[in-house]
Amino acid sequence: MPTSDELSRVESHPSWTPQEKWVWEQIQKREIADFNREEDYGERLDPKKTEGWVPQRVLRSEFLLTVLLKEPYRGAIPHAGVRIAGAWFNESLDLSFAEILHPLVLGYCRFEKEVILVQLRASHFIGLMGSKFNTKLDMNSLEVIGDLLMRTGAAFSEVDLTRARIKGNVEMWSSTFAGRLNMNSI
């Protein structure tokens, strides 16, 4: 008789790249999809440096939107959530007005274009530890039931947290902000 884990497995979408399929497999196994630990994706990379970021580490915005927001993927995410490390996002990521039902960790990742989380509602925590944001991170009116973790040496260009509501902690220790950090009415 199949276990409940086997029953909830959802096959990857045929349009996904090999690395996106691998990330989906890791998510379903309740593992961190850590590109820095898999030899197929090169060595451990520093998100603050441009060298070494290969196309095999690229995750498309559409992949993340599909996993987080569309069925059957959204319903197949285990309680551990979506945890990705060492990925390269080279296009804009827009999760505006979405609702995320699981923990989301995008740690030690590199973001080349704007990340928009305007009025995003997250029922758990969001982790951006150690990541590098080369352009604006817009979290205007973000609502997080848990913690917002922007720590562990993360590097931000510009951050807008205007009117954000964080029910847990906002942690920014050892991170740097090259531009404006707007926390008006947080």
Side-chain angles (χ1 to χ4, degrees), residues 100-113:
I100 298 176
L101 303 175
H102 304 88
L104 175 62
V105 176
L106 301 173
Y108 302 94
C109 295
R110 185 173 174 85
F111 296 87
E112 299 296 344
K113 304 225 171 142

Side-chain angles (χ1 to χ4, degrees), residues 95-100 117-122 126 141-143:
L95 284 165
S96 297
F97 306 99
E99 184 173 1
I100 298 176
L117 308 179
V118 172
Q119 291 192 14
L120 171 74
R121 295 190 67 205
I126 296 177
S141 302
L142 171 76
E143 183 177 335

